[in-house]
Amino acid sequence: MALIPFDDRDGSIWLDGALVPWREAKVHVLSHGLHYASAVFEGERAYGGTIFRLDAHTKRLIESGALLDFKLPFTAEQIMAACNQVVAANGEPDAYVRPIAWRGPEQLSVSAEATKIHLAIASWPWPNLFGDDRMKGVRLDVADWKRPHPETAPTAAKAAGLYMIGTMAKHKAAQRGFEDAILMDWKGDVAEGTGENVFFVMDGELHTPTPICFLNGITRRTVISLAKHQQIKVVERTIARAEMAKATEVFVTGTAAEITPVGAIGDLTFTPGRITETVMRDYDELIHQSPAQVNQRAPI
Ligand code: PMP
């Protein structure tokens, strides 16, 4: 499928309080967010017109802004209503939804107290990140880049600046013939994918790194909840790089990737098995349920 540039599309984008035509949703080149990465965003998915865990995504957006020392000029209720409005206006009930908040051009220096906070929300159809082939299992490169220590970057925020690491790791992975990359943390232990959390099946249990220097993903928390419901033991702990060889199944989780089996990490190979299939099946059921059913069946 040919990639249509994102500024050459039609539809509606919600910008600072109202829907505007897609092509008119522009920012000034001297925006603080562009120069100093003072921007936070979300990635959400609507299934059948309902945005999955919109409350959790909205909460994280507001908290990400607070970590970057800014307050969104809208309430959670207003942001949620705006997300729903965008999905309805664009007429695609199965869509990816991208809210982004950033500092404007009023002040351009490291200090940014005089900047205004802007919020835009777009939506567009985006099938699974890894496409129809995902059941074969994605192949992950072990990135040279590391996730930083939580005292050296706001790692709990979905902050735009942190994604430079992911983009560099993902480009290197593509050059080396892989579909994505897995990053170790600053100590050399397993952290996460470029836009996904990671789970390993070890001795019939699910093991996943403790989210100290990366997002405690909404999909990750949902999977932990679903697995516990299935009496699958979940262990959150430090996972050394060498331990990955002991895993019998591996999968990654994220809003864009949903639950995607991993076929290889570097030279190691894995085959999706019973636990991956169970969790995928439960997740596929859950995403089509109402928000109340989701919260009841898989509290996070
Ligand atoms: N880590 C990174 C770096 C991500 O970009 C994402 C996607 N937001 C995740 C993990 C998974 O988060 P979620 O399940 O909330 O989408």
Side-chain angles (χ1 to χ4, degrees):
M1 196 173 74
L3 185 65
I4 307 164
F6 276 84
D7 58 352
D8 189 17
R9 299 179 181 211
D10 291 304
S12 296
I13 290 179
W14 188 96
L15 178 59
D16 290 334
L19 289 176
V20 298
W22 190 285
R23 290 164 196 277
E24 288 168 27
K26 294 185 175 168
V27 294
H28 196 274
V29 292
L30 296 180
S31 293
H32 196 276
L34 180 61
H35 292 248
Y36 299 101
S38 50
V40 295
F41 67 98
E42 266 310 313
E44 307 167 352
R45 268 191 194 279
Y47 298 98
T50 302
I51 301 173
F52 183 67
R53 307 217 106 136
L54 177 58
D55 48 354
H57 283 283
T58 305
K59 183 167 178 279
R60 184 168 69 188
L61 181 71
I62 292 169
E63 288 171 359
S64 293
L67 283 165
L68 267 63
D69 198 33
F70 66 69
K71 189 174 179 322
L72 269 69
F74 300 96
T75 63
E77 286 66 32
Q78 288 170 323
I79 297 169
M80 291 194 282
C83 289
N84 288 326
Q85 197 188 349
V86 172
V87 171
N90 285 328
E92 293 279 359
D94 293 308
Y96 181 81
V97 187
R98 168 57 59 85
I100 179 159
W102 69 97
R103 290 188 187 273
E106 297 79 10
Q107 182 182 8
L108 199 58
S109 60
V110 173
S111 282
E113 283 99 339
T115 55
K116 286 202 185 111
I117 307 302
H118 298 270
L119 177 65
I121 305 166
S123 75
W124 62 89
W126 189 9
N128 181 277
L129 179 62
F130 297 106
D132 294 338
D133 279 352
R134 80 176 154 138
M135 278 321 292
K136 281 198 244 156
V138 288
R139 299 178 56 256
L140 305 181
D141 181 28
V142 180
D144 300 329
W145 294 99
K146 305 284 189 277
R147 289 288 307 180
H149 187 290
E151 288 177 356
T152 62
T155 53
K158 196 165 166 65
L162 289 164
Y163 283 84
M164 67 182 169
I165 308 170
T167 300
M168 292 185 298
K170 195 144 183 170
H171 286 188
K172 181 65 89 179
Q175 287 161 21
R176 291 171 173 161
F178 291 90
E179 281 141 315
D180 204 341
I182 185 165
L183 285 91
M184 303 299 117
D185 65 15
W186 77 98
K187 306 185 260 65
D189 296 318
V190 180
E192 62 161 2
T194 60
E196 313 88 27
N197 294 120
V198 63
F199 286 82
F200 301 90
V201 177
M202 293 174 173
D203 300 323
E205 300 171 350
L206 264 184
H207 290 230
T208 190
T210 313
I212 291 168
C213 64
F214 54 85
L215 290 181
N216 183 2
I218 292 163
T219 322
R220 178 187 185 278
R221 284 182 271 151
T222 301
V223 162
I224 291 173
S225 188
L226 289 172
K228 287 183 175 163
H229 197 71
Q230 290 280 4
Q231 322 293 330
I232 299 167
K233 190 172 172 208
V234 181
V235 185
E236 295 184 67
R237 64 177 181 91
T238 301
I239 299 177
R241 177 174 173 168
E243 286 185 74
M244 296 194 297
K246 289 195 305 200
T248 48
E249 302 172 41
V250 184
F251 59 86
V252 290
T253 66
T255 298
E258 299 167 303
I259 298 174
T260 296
V262 172
I265 301 178
D267 296 338
L268 305 170
T269 54
F270 308 96
T271 315
R274 185 186 63 84
I275 292 188
T276 306
E277 281 157 15
T278 303
V279 174
M280 286 183 84
R281 193 199 54 222
D282 283 0
Y283 189 75
D284 281 345
E285 263 173 41
L286 191 72
I287 55 181
H288 293 108
Q289 295 187 326
S290 71
Q293 286 170 318
V294 168
N295 285 332
Q296 199 202 351
R297 186 165 162 199
I300 57 172

